[in-house]
Amino acid sequence: MEVFLQQLINGLTLGSIYGLIAIGYTMVFGIIGMVNFAHGDVFMVGGFIALILFMVFTAWLGLAVVPALVLVLILGMALTGLWNWTIERVAYRPLRGSFRLAPLISAIGVSIFLANFVQVIQGPRNKPLPPMIQGNFVLMGEGSTTVVLAYKQIVIMVITAVLLGLFWYLVQKTALGRAQRACEQDRKMAALLGIDVDRTISLTFVIGAALASVAGVMYLMYYGVVSFSDGFVPGVKAFTAAVLGGIGSLPGAVLGGLLIGLIETMWSAYFTIDYKDVAAFSILAITLIFLPTGILGRPEVEKV
Amino acid sequence: MAASAQAAAASREAPTKAQALREAGFAALVMLGLSVPIVALRTEQNMENQLVLAPRYGMVLLACIGVFLARYIQVMFVNGLTRTLLIVGSFTLLGGVARATGQALDGFSVGVFVIGAALIAAGFAWQKRVDAQAGAPAAPAFLERFSAIQPYVGPAALGFIAVYPALALWLTGTGGSIKWIDNFGIQILIYIMLGWGLNIVVGLAGLLDLGYVAFYAVGAYSYALLATKVIPEVFPTLGVWSFWICLPISGILAALWGILLGFPVLRLRGDYLAIVTLAFGEIIRLVLINWVEFSNGYAGISTIPRPSFFGIPFNASDTGFAAVFGLEFSPIYRTIFLYYVILCLALLTAFVTLRLRRLPVGRAWEALREDEIACRSLGINTTNTKLTAFALGAMFGGFAGCFFAARQGFISPESFTFIESAQVLAIVVLGGTGSLVGVVIASIALVGGFEILRELDFLKLIFGESFDPTQYRTLLFGLAMVLIMLWKPRGLVSTREPTAFLKESKSVSGSLVKEGHG
């Protein structure tokens, strides 16, 4: 029971991170029908930007952890958004409406480029950071079988909840959100009605990257380490989350993220930790084969 | 009247300097934003294993100036050659500045300056010529000449490939030629073969496979396990199985895996298919890493037997190849032999592909690529069509894997990462999906190009001793993928040669062919 509760808490924390990345996949897929293969690496770049900014604020400017973290979140979102904006502008926009495979190949190229760019520019070693937030609540149990809720886990879940609220407001209530949903339904019609489609798509990439950058901050906070190769596996897992929840569906992405997080931690606790990535990849394959619309997705109608 | 219209057209085509400056300034500002934390500050571990920040503002400045110049040139000049000359020239100048400020203002820096200035001058001279011709494009005379010699290019290239080892031996001697035959010849031929194998799946049947390396791994591990573990330990009565017995078995096993993995994904298309095949490829690699009793995990399998020349081994013993043929022993004979083995395997792949395109199954593949629904409506069994494509593609991947294991003598899961799949897929797509010649050109450009990077030691003179060009191999590979896609989304060879035609064959530009789903 204690093990289960502990894994539940860990799984929800991890799931929050995956969910935030998954939103970026699902939004981009919804609006231009493309798997943004480089999104996992954008998340990794966000993690590195957060690491450097955090060190600047704490070690150079001597700020306390909390104001530093708030500044890192805001600045990191802006800078990672700029990265994804540039990527879309340079590597994807010229290929819109082109040959079917072209944007995907370009995205794979961007993914390889980003990972190796960070490797060259920041060095290939892991970057460990002393824990930002220490301490925890002991919820129940004694001795070796305790259920612990760490402060950093609370912070991660609270930030995720707040961000998802803001994000929901943005998509449902603002002009930008309306434009975005309109583009998702019918890009040509939206353009005829005076929506700047290119700008909307750009902003979608910026928002997706901003959420991924927050996920990067949390990843850094949770594991205390980031490396150039950390984009690929979390990226594929977040994509799995987006597919599991139903690609194109925003609540689905969050739900899928939480599910993937839970499955991964439970698998590690009850089976073998060696095969946890195999479990995630298998879920991806099984979902796509047997439930291609996901849990909350709409079935794709094929028009001839 | 005409003059004013011309002036209007000119002003539309040629932006003013102010506009170009504004564009370039914006691009430089974006570059500044991109590079501010991640390039400007490098995280390094100090003696106490703590992370510290090391500033590198000069690099940010250089990057911003570089982007500013490139964008300015791109906006101001339309002609491709002008742009290239000016951009390369100004970047060379920047490199010279970096060296002069970073290390020393010596003769070498001055030389770099001179080269950069010469390139820029050439760019302006070329632009003057273009202006003088008032926009009329220079006649591509060499293209006409090329079409005259085109029928001879293929046989000439084949002839060159056939005599390549002898040529390398003659030009660089016994010691130096191993590098040229092994690193360039064999390496490129392996990728050509993989590209041709994947071409059946992606280029002909239109099924996007991101996990092709899985079949390469199946082939390699089949041979390694059969030769070192299964036959000697489980069935010792069967004797020792050589490379030539294991080669077809590896291919068949890989084909079986192709059917096994192909079966569940039959309903998927496009990007989804790509992601599932990626997942399968990763699962196979992770199992190879974690199932230590089976595959020996990260440590890999070593002492894989090398292929022999009709039973004559390539070693220094009295019954070895050199002794039997009365030659002095040298490892070069094995390398040359391996070169011809992979050449034959690759040509077999090409031959089978060419012949299959004329069979009903090959035509069904191409019909499937163009439009799956129409294909099904016409009574083609899409299940069988897709599975045969998967199985055949996988079989050639398995052959290549078996050869790879025999050539290396050692394999580990490290050799079968996603990046390999991406590289083979990039070769197929960048070459032009479906084009056999395109695969060859892309393999030579990508694989050969990166091998060349190892030779670029002179760059150390510009960027300092710690500069290692091979470090940038994968980085440049990713960049090349993006740039080639932007330049030619259909790949380098984008014309289609139809297999079925009325009276005469007309090649079709790839951009006129709409690929359906699938």
Side-chain angles (χ1 to χ4, degrees):
Chain A
M1 188 63 198
E2 279 86 2
V3 174
F4 177 78
L5 273 179
Q6 185 63 59
Q7 293 308 322
L8 190 69
I9 293 170
N10 296 347
L12 288 177
T13 318
L14 197 57
S16 307
I17 297 176
Y18 290 152
L20 284 178
I21 311 173
I23 289 177
Y25 277 111
T26 220
M27 276 194 345
V28 167
F29 193 89
I31 202 160
I32 54 173
M34 153 196 174
V35 177
N36 181 9
F37 207 88
H39 194 63
D41 295 282
V42 170
F43 152 78
M44 179 272 300
V45 169
F48 263 91
I49 290 178
L51 168 77
I52 297 167
L53 287 178
F54 187 77
M55 286 173 63
V56 168
F57 288 135
T58 52
W60 284 12
L61 302 178
L63 288 181
V65 168
V66 175
L69 211 54
V70 173
L71 280 174
V72 165
L73 277 176
I74 294 168
L75 265 177
M77 280 165 95
L79 289 172
T80 317
L82 183 69
W83 266 97
N84 218 16
W85 180 86
T86 314
I87 291 167
E88 195 271 336
R89 184 74 189 75
V90 173
Y92 304 156
R93 191 183 290 180
L95 294 173
R96 209 174 289 154
S98 167
F99 174 47
R100 187 174 53 94
L101 290 181
L104 184 70
I105 300 292
S106 185
I108 294 174
V110 171
S111 162
I112 294 171
F113 171 79
L114 282 181
N116 288 282
F117 171 73
V118 173
Q119 180 187 10
V120 167
I121 215 82
Q122 290 289 337
R125 295 176 68 178
N126 278 350
K127 305 289 177 186
L129 198 66
M132 296 183 191
I133 301 168
Q134 278 171 315
N136 49 38
F137 291 120
V138 178
L139 294 184
M140 56 190 286
E142 283 170 8
S144 59
T145 57
T146 52
V147 179
V148 171
L149 178 61
Y151 293 153
K152 61 184 179 188
Q153 291 177 318
I154 302 175
V155 173
I156 288 174
M157 287 190 228
V158 168
I159 294 178
T160 307
V162 171
L163 265 182
L164 288 179
L166 278 175
F167 178 69
W168 180 85
Y169 178 81
L170 183 77
V171 172
Q172 295 294 328
K173 302 284 174 187
T174 62
L176 170 65
R178 264 198 305 283
Q180 203 210 321
R181 281 180 290 144
C183 288
E184 219 166 278
Q185 285 183 358
D186 192 335
R187 237 193 297 163
K188 207 174 272 174
M189 194 65 211
L192 287 174
L193 293 174
I195 291 171
D196 189 343
V197 175
D198 277 344
R199 186 171 156 269
T200 312
I201 294 175
S202 281
L203 281 170
T204 305
F205 273 85
V206 171
I207 296 168
L211 294 177
S213 101
V214 176
V217 177
M218 292 169 166
Y219 187 86
L220 184 67
M221 194 160 44
Y222 196 53
Y223 290 107
V225 63
V226 61
S227 104
F228 75 95
S229 59
D230 275 351
F232 182 64
V233 170
V236 175
K237 283 181 187 163
F239 178 76
T240 310
V243 169
L244 186 62
I247 199 142
S249 152
L250 298 176
V254 180
L255 180 69
L258 293 177
L259 277 175
I260 290 291
L262 283 174
I263 292 169
E264 188 182 325
T265 46
M266 294 293 172
W267 183 283
S268 308
Y270 290 102
F271 298 102
T272 150
I273 197 162
D274 288 341
Y275 284 95
K276 73 180 164 90
D277 290 349
V278 175
F281 286 119
S282 308
I283 292 165
L284 175 63
I286 291 167
T287 322
L288 277 176
I289 292 163
F290 294 106
L291 190 71
T293 53
I295 299 169
L296 298 178
R298 287 183 301 262
E300 193 185 333
V301 182
E302 190 177 304
K303 294 174 194 153
V304 183
Chain B
M1 184 67 199
S4 72
Q6 211 172 21
S11 76
R12 196 166 58 236
E13 276 164 19
T16 62
K17 274 193 177 142
Q19 271 173 314
L21 280 176
R22 212 163 36 233
E23 285 280 326
F26 179 70
L29 211 62
V30 169
M31 189 66 219
L32 181 69
L34 293 182
S35 54
V36 152
I38 206 156
V39 180
L41 300 165
R42 185 184 165 100
T43 47
E44 272 163 5
Q45 261 134 332
N46 64 8
M47 299 304 274
E48 285 97 53
N49 232 10
Q50 286 168 319
L51 276 191
V52 287
L53 294 174
R56 287 183 300 194
Y57 305 121
M59 201 183 256
V60 177
L61 190 69
L62 272 184
C64 290
I65 295 174
V67 166
F68 181 89
L69 289 175
R71 181 71 183 150
Y72 181 79
I73 293 164
Q74 198 201 354
V75 174
M76 281 301 283
F77 301 102
V78 185
N79 187 278
L81 186 63
T82 314
R83 277 182 182 175
T84 317
L85 281 173
L86 287 180
I87 290 178
V88 172
S90 48
F91 278 21
T92 315
L93 271 186
L94 274 182
V97 173
R99 185 184 145 83
T101 50
Q103 294 172 56
L105 183 63
D106 54 7
F108 191 80
S109 307
V110 175
V112 173
F113 280 133
V114 170
I115 294 173
L119 283 170
I120 291 177
F124 279 118
W126 176 255
Q127 181 62 30
K128 214 168 240 170
R129 229 185 107 183
V130 171
D131 287 339
Q133 288 174 349
F142 67 96
L143 275 183
E144 278 166 33
R145 250 174 270 154
F146 180 74
S147 65
I149 58 163
Q150 200 178 12
Y152 309 107
V153 171
L158 263 184
F160 173 75
I161 291 170
V163 299
Y164 175 76
L167 209 62
L169 207 59
W170 180 53
L171 286 176
T172 55
T174 328
S177 61
I178 285 198
K179 180 181 83 186
W180 290 97
I181 299 172
D182 196 50
N183 290 3
F184 285 85
I186 297 182
Q187 190 75 5
I188 291 174
L189 279 171
I190 288 180
Y191 279 97
I192 290 178
M193 174 161 182
L194 286 173
W196 280 343
L198 185 61
N199 183 46
I200 296 176
V201 186
V202 179
L204 296 186
L207 304 163
L208 186 52
D209 187 348
L210 272 182
Y212 192 62
V213 79
F215 308 123
Y216 189 43
V218 168
Y221 270 88
S222 300
Y223 174 51
L225 290 173
L226 277 175
T228 62
K229 254 170 111 177
V230 179
I231 300 298
E233 287 172 20
V234 188
F235 306 105
T237 51
L238 291 174
V240 181
W241 283 16
S242 75
F243 170 75
W244 295 105
I245 302 175
C246 294
L247 182 70
I249 299 176
S250 305
I252 291 166
L253 283 174
L256 285 177
W257 274 92
I259 294 172
L260 206 66
L261 298 188
F263 210 68
V265 299
L266 284 173
R267 302 194 308 176
L268 301 173
R269 328 175 133 166
D271 291 6
Y272 275 12
L273 179 71
I275 301 286
V276 171
T277 47
L278 165 94
F280 281 148
E282 283 297 296
I283 289 173
I284 288 194
R285 188 176 67 89
L286 289 167
V287 168
L288 285 177
I289 289 175
N290 288 312
W291 193 4
V292 179
E293 306 87 74
F294 173 71
S295 64
N296 206 17
Y298 270 121
I301 300 173
S302 52
T303 63
I304 301 169
R306 300 306 198 80
S308 57
F309 182 78
F310 298 103
I312 307 168
F314 288 93
N315 55 23
S317 70
D318 284 345
T319 53
F321 181 84
V324 168
F325 288 88
L327 301 161
E328 199 181 330
F329 173 75
S330 160
I332 192 78
Y333 300 124
R334 176 192 282 149
T335 313
I336 293 175
F337 176 65
L338 286 175
Y339 177 89
Y340 283 110
V341 169
I342 185 68
L343 179 63
C344 292
L345 284 172
L347 289 179
L348 176 77
T349 316
F351 178 73
V352 170
T353 311
L354 283 175
R355 301 307 292 176
L356 276 174
R357 282 185 69 182
R358 292 167 193 277
L359 285 178
V361 65
R363 299 204 175 152
W365 287 338
E366 290 184 284
L368 186 73
R369 174 186 69 195
E370 302 302 339
D371 196 330
E372 185 173 345
I373 297 171
C375 195
R376 211 180 296 150
S377 315
L378 289 169
I380 292 171
N381 183 341
T382 50
T383 309
N384 284 354
T385 312
K386 285 183 181 179
L387 283 182
T388 43
F390 259 111
L392 272 169
M395 185 180 81
F396 289 116
F399 285 157
C402 180
F403 174 81
F404 175 76
R407 172 213 180 194
Q408 302 289 105
F410 166 76
I411 50 168
S412 75
E414 294 288 293
S415 309
F416 308 104
T417 52
F418 165 69
I419 193 103
E420 291 293 318
S421 289
Q423 193 159 349
V424 180
L425 183 70
I427 284 171
V428 173
V429 176
L430 300 184
T433 44
S435 161
L436 293 185
V437 180
V439 168
V440 177
I441 297 173
S443 304
I444 293 173
L446 287 180
V447 183
F450 293 129
E451 290 297 326
I452 289 279
L453 273 183
R454 290 181 212 277
E455 314 293 317
L456 299 181
D457 276 341
F458 71 89
L459 285 175
K460 282 190 176 152
L461 287 170
I462 303 180
F463 297 103
E465 272 307 307
S466 59
F467 182 81
D468 177 14
T470 50
Q471 207 187 346
Y472 296 86
R473 186 180 175 276
T474 335
L475 179 86
L476 289 174
F477 172 64
L479 203 60
M481 272 171 92
V482 177
L483 291 179
I484 297 180
M485 275 295 112
L486 293 178
W487 175 45
K488 278 187 174 248
R490 283 276 175 174
L492 298 170
V493 181
S494 56
T495 51
R496 294 267 175 85
E497 296 289 341
T499 44
F501 50 82
L502 191 68
K503 286 179 189 156
E504 59 172 327
S505 158
K506 289 179 192 156
S507 48
V508 186
S509 161
S511 44
L512 295 176
V513 186
K514 179 184 167 291
E515 283 198 16
H517 0 251

